[in-house]
Amino acid sequence: MSKSESMNKNFPTWQDPKGAPLSCVEKIKVLNENFGELREMMQDAMEDALLMGCDEEQFRQVMRSVVEELHNPYGKPDDQD
């Protein structure tokens, strides 16, 4: 089994905003495909960074900050509760 195949077998149980698992097979398929592609791309980027001498912890922090900066265009604005 290849590295990407083993990584892609560990998908989360996707949930709706209330915590209930999603049941639509097509939605789950799309989410899993997107997640697998992102995971593989991030792994490749990390390997490249390490081969070029980048600090691993800095790379991980940058990736975390990218996730934190993502904006939900479908939810309420961040400044409203």
Side-chain angles (χ1 to χ4, degrees):
M1 180 181 321
S2 75
K3 173 179 63 175
S4 64
E5 287 173 334
S6 66
M7 286 176 50
N8 290 341
K9 287 191 171 217
N10 299 317
F11 294 117
T13 299
W14 301 107
Q15 302 175 350
D16 69 16
K18 294 181 180 178
L22 295 181
S23 60
C24 176
V25 175
E26 286 303 312
K27 289 179 182 180
I28 294 168
K29 180 180 175 184
V30 169
L31 289 166
N32 286 346
E33 286 175 358
N34 288 345
F35 186 70
E37 290 172 12
L38 283 169
R39 199 182 239 178
E40 188 172 332
M41 187 180 297
M42 290 175 73
Q43 181 65 44
D44 290 345
M46 177 181 226
E47 290 172 13
D48 288 347
L50 294 173
L51 285 171
M52 291 184 273
C54 183
D55 177 68
E56 180 179 347
E57 188 52 40
Q58 181 197 17
F59 179 85
R60 289 179 183 278
Q61 184 56 46
V62 170
M63 291 296 104
R64 286 183 199 105
S65 68
V66 168
V67 171
E68 292 298 319
E69 292 171 4
L70 295 176
H71 171 71
N72 175 0
Y74 307 109
K76 58 185 173 184
D78 294 334
D79 60 350
Q80 293 181 354
D81 287 323

